[in-house]
Amino acid sequence: MTNELNPSKRLLMGPGPSDVHPRVLRAMTTPLLGHLDPEFLTLMNETKDLLKVVYQTENKLTIPMSGTGSAGMETVFVNLVEPGDKVIVGVNGLFGERMVDVAERCGAEVIQVTAPWGEIIEPASIEEALLQNPGTKLVAVVHAETSTGVMQPLKELSDIVHKHDALIVCDMVTAIGGIPTEIDKNEIDAAYSGTQKCLSAPPGLAPVTFNDRALKVIFNRKTKVQSWYLDLSMIQNYWNDERFYHHTAPITNVYSLREALRVIVEEGLENVFARHKQYGVALHAGLEAMGLKLLVKKEHRLFQLTSVLIPEGIDDVAVRKQLLSKYGLEIGGGLGALKGKVWRVGLMGYNATQTNVTQFLAALEDVLREQGYESEPGAGLRAANNTIKEQVTV
Amino acid sequence: MTNELNPSKRLLMGPGPSDVHPRVLRAMTTPLLGHLDPEFLTLMNETKDLLKVVYQTENKLTIPMSGTGSAGMETVFVNLVEPGDKVIVGVNGLFGERMVDVAERCGAEVIQVTAPWGEIIEPASIEEALLQNPGTKLVAVVHAETSTGVMQPLKELSDIVHKHDALIVCDMVTAIGGIPTEIDKNEIDAAYSGTQKCLSAPPGLAPVTFNDRALKVIFNRKTKVQSWYLDLSMIQNYWNDERFYHHTAPITNVYSLREALRVIVEEGLENVFARHKQYGVALHAGLEAMGLKLLVKKEHRLFQLTSVLIPEGIDDVAVRKQLLSKYGLEIGGGLGALKGKVWRVGLMGYNATQTNVTQFLAALEDVLREQGYESEPGAGLRAANNTIKEQVTV
């Protein structure tokens, strides 16, 4: 017989999933409604409205797709791209690389604009690519690169892309609920995200949003969308007033997303962003006070995800294993080009708290010391606390 | 402010989702583990092992895909089919039609073998199609057609398909956990299913299984799988010992599936099948004793889903609305060709009980009487009870 489910206690401070808010866990025990029950249709509308608040958009087509964040990525590309389309992708981390792969599988001619992992994509490089590739249909970048901790500035880029009559598409998996996405103000034409980062819900849904410019492209396609499961021309008829059955919505995941969004809207979006910033900056100060270096320069750092360079001679895996076994604390390793070179530390949603900054810095200091890396005792904690105090008194 | 989640009490006796087992709901409140946590990897292995028991297979590649049942359908086709491949689909209901659409989006040349909705696909018709279309790569049928309530016999069909060197693929969304699927005994090469029917878990995962013959086809593809999200050549490297990160697994959904499978294995697969049969047959007897006609003839009826012909002059929607408003009881309407012609009544998993048969027949008798359909008071209940008694004493 298989044992009862009884996992060890964890504090999830990696690149996601992060810990789920207790109210969200509780919402998931609610018995199901049918996917066409009038009461469920009301919950769907409420979820859309809450998503619009958190995405900072009025886009009518703002819905959760029935898959994880990567299904959101695929949704954007299979619906907007047709074979032969020119697509420019900004690649400065793993998720840019993934977009290239997904776009190519849609038959796109992909032009990569690269930057070193840990840096932003310069708007000027995108403009150059647009000039060299007239007729480009869309430009895709990652707003919050989960593999590096880089925050990509969007407004200037968006203006350039629109000047060249292309669409701008953003990966906002780690952005949503952590930093302002400003879909409307930034004039982002389409975006996708996930639930398991700053929304503090379990993975399983991919909130997407499309503005009218993007919808026009979808409705003027010459070919069928290659994915039946992600075909928005059908799915929108379930999420709008037609309520036409497409596939059975993941009811419980919708419950969880709705509750997660309620929690955020109750706290207030601006307060949520301020909290991420406050503790993110404190974490950065703490790490630097311990003599550690961060991968990303200050002006391009995310608050919700921080890449720390692994000090020379320190064993990546040993540190992460010990954090997990001794403290139940999970952080992430590096991916791709950064494998073995960085640790990734998340302070996402429900987890962005004073307690977690403290717990992490104290645990890291202890484990690093055991692994032979010395830092002034308590220096990280003091620096973090001072930074928090300064921000509060400002 | 959006209200607290507080849906009305429902008894879900439609075509799915069905009610979730309380143990499964409770499992979903368990805090997350990371998707690469050693403890989660153990839970994944256990989930695979339990799935193999319920699918009655030794197939190594037996895993839940991160989407609903329709994502399972798409998984099978995008991985097995390449542009230009000949695919025969048995179409005797909505889900056969959907397979045609999905296969065509993969570039397949689709040959439809049709039968009236409510009847099985005759193995002889498939053989004829195979003879007329040499080089056919795969044949797809629906084991338990959720739109009609038909149970498709598989063994003879499977032998014919293999004689012609093709693969046989089955939609088992409503079959799994309700009737024997016998993947190995029936030599089914690939199958997909959902969690929200007889497994009594919420929708959100699609358990799939592929045997070595199907895997060989996948590994000898000439083209890339058109879906990155559903590409098994990558996903299997996360679910096997390599543990290579692909996308963040929907942790909570995996918890829920594992618990649902534990519940089934604890009851015993044979007992679970016997229970579905016992109460399904009782429901059929009860409905017929009320003078109602069933769509499917006796030897091809599912036990877990029953299509009842709507009596002449009775308003489809009015009956369903009243069942919902007066009894909180959901049944399904007809789809496609059967819209307005049948009701679909589910007795799935946790819901296949004496109490629910009784509740449904009593409520239906009451509501039909209010709508002008008279039947002998209590005749349905008596017939159902007698049928249950007879089966127990046999």
Side-chain angles (χ1 to χ4, degrees):
Chain A
M1 278 297 171
T2 314
N3 286 336
E4 197 173 336
L5 185 64
N6 190 26
S8 300
K9 187 165 159 28
R10 294 287 188 248
L11 174 58
L12 300 180
M13 290 182 67
S18 58
D19 288 283
V20 175
H21 194 290
R23 271 176 57 183
V24 174
L25 290 176
R26 219 164 57 216
M28 296 181 82
T29 58
T30 310
L32 300 192
L33 290 166
H35 58 285
L36 294 170
D37 191 306
E39 290 194 19
F40 186 65
L41 304 181
T42 301
L43 296 176
M44 289 166 69
N45 285 344
E46 291 169 354
T47 304
K48 279 200 292 185
D49 287 341
L50 289 162
L51 257 186
K52 287 198 247 176
V53 174
V54 175
Y55 256 137
Q56 303 172 286
T57 184
E58 296 294 323
N59 287 344
K60 281 190 297 284
L61 189 61
T62 303
I63 59 172
M65 299 296 289
S66 306
T68 68
S70 297
M73 183 189 289
E74 195 150 305
T75 299
V76 164
F77 286 98
V78 295
N79 283 281
L80 291 176
V81 172
E82 296 188 73
D85 284 343
K86 281 188 210 168
V87 170
I88 294 174
V89 179
V91 180
N92 56 343
L94 184 83
F95 295 92
E97 288 184 351
R98 183 171 297 180
M99 289 199 291
V100 172
D101 191 351
V102 171
E104 283 177 349
R105 290 174 197 240
C106 299
E109 181 192 326
V110 178
I111 300 105
Q112 297 190 39
V113 172
T114 60
W117 287 37
E119 298 184 12
I120 63 162
I121 302 289
E122 291 295 342
S125 319
I126 295 285
E127 176 139 50
E128 205 188 301
L130 281 163
L131 287 167
Q132 281 171 10
N133 296 280
T136 291
K137 187 181 200 176
L138 70 84
V139 174
V141 293
V142 180
H143 186 202
E145 215 348 309
T146 321
S147 65
T148 62
V150 163
M151 179 168 12
Q152 175 71 41
L154 296 178
K155 187 67 182 91
E156 187 190 344
L157 196 59
S158 166
D159 289 342
I160 290 170
V161 171
H162 290 137
K163 201 174 71 187
H164 290 268
D165 278 330
L167 298 174
I168 180 160
V169 159
C170 287
D171 177 322
M172 290 180 162
V173 172
T174 293
I176 193 169
I179 50 173
T181 56
E182 297 280 21
I183 292 290
D184 287 357
K185 213 191 262 177
N186 286 324
E187 296 186 78
I188 304 305
D189 298 301
Y192 58 89
S193 58
T195 48
Q196 76 275 17
K197 315 272 184 177
C198 300
L199 298 184
S200 304
L205 291 178
V208 297
T209 186
F210 291 77
N211 68 13
D212 286 343
R213 199 159 28 206
L215 286 184
K216 208 176 143 191
V217 169
I218 294 176
F219 290 121
N220 286 313
R221 287 179 65 94
K222 290 186 198 72
T223 56
K224 250 190 186 179
V225 170
Q226 68 190 32
S227 168
W228 183 93
Y229 187 61
L230 304 175
D231 186 343
L232 286 170
S233 69
M234 297 190 289
I235 291 167
Q236 63 145 10
N237 290 335
Y238 172 56
W239 281 87
N240 68 21
D241 292 338
E242 296 194 36
R243 303 303 178 185
F244 197 82
Y245 164 62
H246 179 259
H247 66 271
T248 304
I251 313 290
T252 304
N253 296 81
V254 173
Y255 287 173
S256 76
L257 174 59
R258 180 180 175 280
E259 187 67 12
L261 296 169
R262 280 182 78 228
V263 167
I264 289 174
V265 170
E266 283 176 23
E267 182 176 350
L269 205 51
E270 295 309 320
N271 297 331
V272 169
F273 296 149
R275 179 164 54 77
H276 279 90
K277 183 170 180 183
Q278 179 175 33
Y279 295 114
V281 170
L283 176 70
H284 300 162
L287 290 165
E288 288 180 330
M290 290 169 68
L292 296 164
K293 302 264 175 285
L294 306 188
L295 174 72
V296 180
K297 63 180 177 182
K298 197 169 173 188
E299 60 268 38
H300 297 144
R301 266 178 218 158
L302 289 170
F303 308 117
Q304 65 271 49
L305 186 73
T306 303
S307 284
V308 191
L309 294 171
I310 300 174
E312 218 167 308
I314 298 299
D315 183 342
D316 169 19
V317 174
V319 168
R320 287 191 283 130
K321 274 202 173 152
Q322 206 171 4
L323 283 171
L324 194 68
S325 61
K326 190 167 176 183
Y327 292 96
L329 200 160
E330 180 181 273
I331 62 168
L335 292 172
L338 294 175
K339 194 172 173 171
K341 295 191 179 144
V342 299
W343 293 309
R344 292 179 299 150
V345 185
L347 278 174
M348 298 180 179
Y350 176 66
N351 273 0
T353 63
Q354 165 93 47
T355 305
N356 291 348
V357 171
T358 302
Q359 174 63 24
F360 170 69
L361 289 171
L364 184 67
E365 183 181 320
D366 172 43
V367 169
L368 281 181
R369 184 167 297 120
E370 287 203 30
Q371 295 289 328
Y373 178 89
E374 288 292 339
S375 58
E376 193 195 330
L381 284 171
R382 264 196 319 280
N385 280 329
N386 287 338
T387 309
I388 292 168
K389 243 186 260 167
E390 279 164 28
Q391 289 185 76
V392 171
T393 51
V394 163
Chain B
M1 278 296 172
T2 314
N3 287 336
E4 197 172 336
L5 186 63
N6 190 26
S8 301
K9 187 166 161 25
R10 294 288 189 246
L11 175 58
L12 300 180
M13 292 182 66
S18 59
D19 288 282
V20 175
H21 195 290
R23 271 176 57 183
V24 174
L25 289 176
R26 219 164 58 215
M28 297 181 82
T29 59
T30 310
L32 299 192
L33 291 166
H35 57 286
L36 294 169
D37 192 305
E39 291 194 19
F40 186 66
L41 304 181
T42 301
L43 296 176
M44 288 166 69
N45 285 344
E46 291 168 354
T47 303
K48 280 200 291 187
D49 288 342
L50 288 163
L51 256 186
K52 287 198 246 177
V53 173
V54 175
Y55 256 137
Q56 302 172 287
T57 183
E58 297 293 324
N59 288 345
K60 281 190 297 284
L61 189 61
T62 303
I63 60 171
M65 300 296 288
S66 305
T68 67
S70 297
M73 183 189 289
E74 194 150 305
T75 299
V76 165
F77 286 98
V78 294
N79 282 281
L80 291 176
V81 172
E82 294 189 73
D85 283 345
K86 279 188 211 169
V87 170
I88 293 174
V89 179
V91 180
N92 55 344
L94 184 83
F95 294 93
E97 288 184 352
R98 183 171 298 181
M99 290 198 291
V100 172
D101 192 351
V102 171
E104 284 178 348
R105 289 174 197 240
C106 298
E109 181 191 326
V110 178
I111 299 104
Q112 297 189 40
V113 172
T114 58
W117 288 38
E119 298 183 12
I120 64 163
I121 302 289
E122 291 294 342
S125 320
I126 296 284
E127 178 139 49
E128 207 187 299
L130 282 162
L131 288 167
Q132 282 171 10
N133 297 280
T136 290
K137 187 181 202 176
L138 71 82
V139 174
V141 292
V142 179
H143 186 201
E145 209 358 302
T146 322
S147 64
T148 62
V150 163
M151 180 168 11
Q152 176 70 42
L154 296 178
K155 187 68 184 91
E156 187 190 345
L157 196 59
S158 165
D159 289 343
I160 290 170
V161 171
H162 291 136
K163 203 174 70 189
H164 291 267
D165 279 330
L167 298 174
I168 180 162
V169 159
C170 286
D171 177 322
M172 289 180 163
V173 173
T174 294
I176 193 169
I179 50 174
T181 55
E182 297 280 20
I183 293 289
D184 287 358
K185 212 191 263 179
N186 286 324
E187 295 185 79
I188 305 304
D189 298 300
Y192 59 90
S193 58
T195 48
Q196 76 275 18
K197 315 271 185 179
C198 300
L199 297 184
S200 303
L205 291 177
V208 297
T209 187
F210 291 77
N211 68 13
D212 286 343
R213 197 158 30 203
L215 286 184
K216 209 176 143 190
V217 169
I218 294 176
F219 291 121
N220 287 314
R221 288 180 65 96
K222 291 185 199 72
T223 57
K224 249 191 186 177
V225 171
Q226 68 189 35
S227 169
W228 184 93
Y229 188 61
L230 304 175
D231 186 343
L232 286 170
S233 69
M234 298 190 289
I235 292 168
Q236 64 145 8
N237 289 336
Y238 173 56
W239 281 86
N240 68 21
D241 292 339
E242 297 195 36
R243 303 302 178 184
F244 197 83
Y245 163 63
H246 180 259
H247 67 271
T248 304
I251 314 290
T252 304
N253 296 81
V254 173
Y255 287 174
S256 75
L257 175 59
R258 180 180 176 279
E259 188 65 15
L261 296 168
R262 280 181 79 228
V263 168
I264 289 173
V265 170
E266 282 176 24
E267 180 175 350
L269 206 50
E270 295 308 321
N271 297 331
V272 169
F273 296 150
R275 180 165 54 77
H276 279 91
K277 183 170 179 182
Q278 179 176 32
Y279 295 115
V281 171
L283 176 70
H284 299 163
L287 290 165
E288 289 180 329
M290 289 169 68
L292 297 164
K293 302 264 176 286
L294 306 187
L295 175 72
V296 181
K297 64 180 177 181
K298 197 169 173 188
E299 60 267 39
H300 297 143
R301 266 178 219 159
L302 289 169
F303 308 118
Q304 65 270 48
L305 185 72
T306 303
S307 284
V308 191
L309 294 171
I310 299 173
E312 217 166 312
I314 297 297
D315 183 341
D316 169 19
V317 174
V319 168
R320 287 191 283 131
K321 274 203 172 152
Q322 205 170 4
L323 283 171
L324 194 68
S325 60
K326 189 166 178 183
Y327 292 97
L329 199 161
E330 180 181 274
I331 62 169
L335 292 172
L338 294 175
K339 194 171 173 173
K341 294 190 179 144
V342 299
W343 292 310
R344 292 179 299 151
V345 184
L347 278 173
M348 298 181 180
Y350 175 65
N351 273 359
T353 63
Q354 164 93 48
T355 305
N356 291 348
V357 171
T358 302
Q359 174 63 25
F360 171 69
L361 289 172
L364 184 67
E365 183 181 320
D366 172 42
V367 168
L368 281 182
R369 185 167 296 121
E370 287 203 29
Q371 294 288 329
Y373 178 88
E374 289 292 339
S375 60
E376 193 195 330
L381 285 170
R382 264 197 319 280
N385 281 329
N386 286 338
T387 309
I388 293 168
K389 244 187 262 170
E390 278 164 30
Q391 289 184 76
V392 171
T393 51
V394 164

